[in-house]
Amino acid sequence: MNLMKFKKIYFLISLTFLIPGLISLLLFGLKPAIDFTGGSLLELHFSNQENFDLRENNFMDDLSKLYETSIVQSSGENKVIIKGKEINNQEKDELLSKLNESYGQAEVLRFETVGPILGAELLKKTLTAVFLVASIIAFYVWKQFDELKYGLCAILAMLHDSLILIGAFSLLGHFFNVEVDVLFVTALLTTLSFSIHDTIVVYDRIRELKRKHPRSSLENIANAAVLETLSRSINNSMTIIIMLLSLVVLGGDTIRWFVIALLIGAITGTYSSTFTAVPLLLVFEKKKN
């Protein structure tokens, strides 16, 4: 079975997921959390409320009249996380006093404030970290396989996965008000590792087969390498995907979008290692000849 003869189809599938996200990034961008823009986070527990539900109570409407919020989400039974503009302790106490009048005693579980300067610095460090990780991985692959094309194809596959993830969260941010925070950055860096892990396995198998069959074409060798490693890659990834799906369902609102980001990264990383990195390698080889 020659999987590599369908290279154009694989690239078309990639474009199907890349283009909507890229358009969304250009039109809407990402919705940054207070980690990057600055602001305050307040987590409350309403001890006198039974079955407190954001969707059933008038809490959202009442809160919007008191405080400029960006995100309000449930974090457990009778618990709520509020994210919005930066406030000080006095303003926080005034807000609590007004909420207590309508919803009973509210216990402050967490109160955090991030200034805009610190947020901008964190964003700068985040971008630097992503760039460094991608560069080091590409250099490592290049040196391990002694050919620049391996490193270039590996980093293009990582870029493919990263752009799909970032584009997906741009769409989610526009349509569902989903923010990107430090946890999203963690998921993005983890996606790079998902992407490169299986890619190196396939590339290593290609290298071994080239030594055994020096007269065979790279396409035949690549196809054999993919067939030998595909079931292993799918089985390994499915264990991760099943675990992440269970966390999406059972993990709660506070980590749901982080887990969804990991899930997207796991799926795209598994796909790109076989159906993006290897076809790109064949394209480079064809251009070379």
Side-chain angles (χ1 to χ4, degrees):
M1 183 177 180
N2 187 3
L3 291 176
M4 289 301 105
K5 71 178 181 181
F6 303 113
K7 293 190 292 295
K8 291 182 180 179
I9 294 177
Y10 304 146
F11 292 145
L12 183 62
I13 292 171
S14 294
L15 288 174
T16 302
F17 288 95
L18 276 169
I19 290 175
L22 291 175
I23 292 173
S24 178
L25 276 172
L26 291 173
L27 294 178
F28 313 123
L30 293 167
K31 187 175 179 60
I34 64 171
D35 299 354
F36 301 121
T37 60
S40 295
L41 180 150
L42 186 62
E43 184 173 9
L44 304 176
H45 175 242
F46 292 93
S47 55
N48 295 334
Q49 285 284 329
E50 292 185 5
N51 301 320
F52 181 82
D53 192 326
L54 291 174
R55 292 166 295 183
E56 295 178 2
N57 295 73
N58 296 320
F59 184 80
M60 299 284 287
D61 293 334
D62 293 341
L63 182 63
S64 63
K65 299 173 185 176
L66 303 173
Y67 178 48
E68 185 180 329
T69 61
S70 59
I71 290 288
V72 181
Q73 64 186 47
S74 173
S75 61
E77 187 177 351
N78 295 348
K79 296 178 183 178
V80 61
I81 291 178
I82 304 167
K83 298 178 184 178
K85 71 173 185 177
E86 185 179 355
I87 57 174
N88 55 36
N89 280 312
Q90 181 179 348
E91 292 170 320
K92 180 256 295 181
D93 292 338
E94 291 175 359
L95 174 63
L96 279 177
S97 177
K98 292 176 181 177
L99 289 176
N100 288 341
E101 293 175 5
S102 301
Y103 297 95
Q105 186 64 34
E107 177 189 359
V108 178
L109 302 178
R110 186 168 37 139
F111 177 60
E112 301 172 359
T113 297
V114 178
I117 295 177
L118 184 60
E121 182 181 349
L122 180 59
L123 178 60
K124 183 179 178 180
K125 289 181 177 179
T126 296
L127 295 174
T128 303
V130 172
F131 175 77
L132 284 176
V133 168
S135 300
I136 292 170
I137 289 174
F139 181 77
Y140 170 78
V141 175
W142 172 23
K143 287 301 180 183
Q144 285 296 310
F145 294 93
D146 297 322
E147 289 188 63
L148 180 59
K149 64 183 178 183
Y150 285 92
L152 289 175
C153 292
I155 202 165
L156 285 173
M158 287 192 300
L159 183 63
H160 163 276
D161 299 340
S162 301
L163 286 176
I164 287 179
L165 176 57
I166 294 170
F169 268 73
S170 175
L171 289 166
L172 289 169
H174 178 69
F175 291 106
F176 299 101
N177 207 33
V178 177
E179 295 183 335
V180 295
D181 53 14
V182 174
L183 283 178
F184 174 79
V185 176
T186 304
L188 180 60
L189 293 174
T190 306
T191 296
L192 298 182
S193 70
F194 281 142
S195 176
I196 201 64
H197 179 266
D198 284 342
T199 299
I200 290 178
V201 171
V202 179
Y203 281 180
D204 189 56
R205 190 59 186 150
I206 291 173
R207 179 171 59 180
E208 291 177 6
L209 291 174
K210 281 177 70 176
R211 291 171 182 167
K212 292 180 180 179
H213 310 284
R215 295 184 181 180
S216 295
S217 67
L218 182 61
E219 181 165 340
N220 289 335
I221 289 172
N223 187 69
V226 166
L227 290 174
E228 290 177 14
T229 58
L230 186 58
S231 60
R232 171 196 176 279
S233 297
I234 292 175
N235 289 335
N236 284 347
S237 297
M238 283 306 298
T239 59
I240 298 171
I241 290 169
I242 291 170
M243 179 271 292
L244 291 174
L245 283 172
S246 65
L247 282 175
V248 170
V249 176
L250 304 173
D253 291 339
T254 53
I255 64 167
R256 178 163 292 130
W257 293 113
F258 168 60
V259 177
I260 288 174
L262 289 175
L263 183 61
I264 294 171
I267 294 170
T268 58
T270 303
Y271 176 84
S272 70
S273 61
T274 300
F275 301 109
T276 303
V278 177
L280 281 172
L281 191 63
L282 298 178
V283 170
F284 269 79
E285 181 71 13
K286 187 175 180 180
K287 294 291 184 182
K288 179 181 175 182
N289 297 331

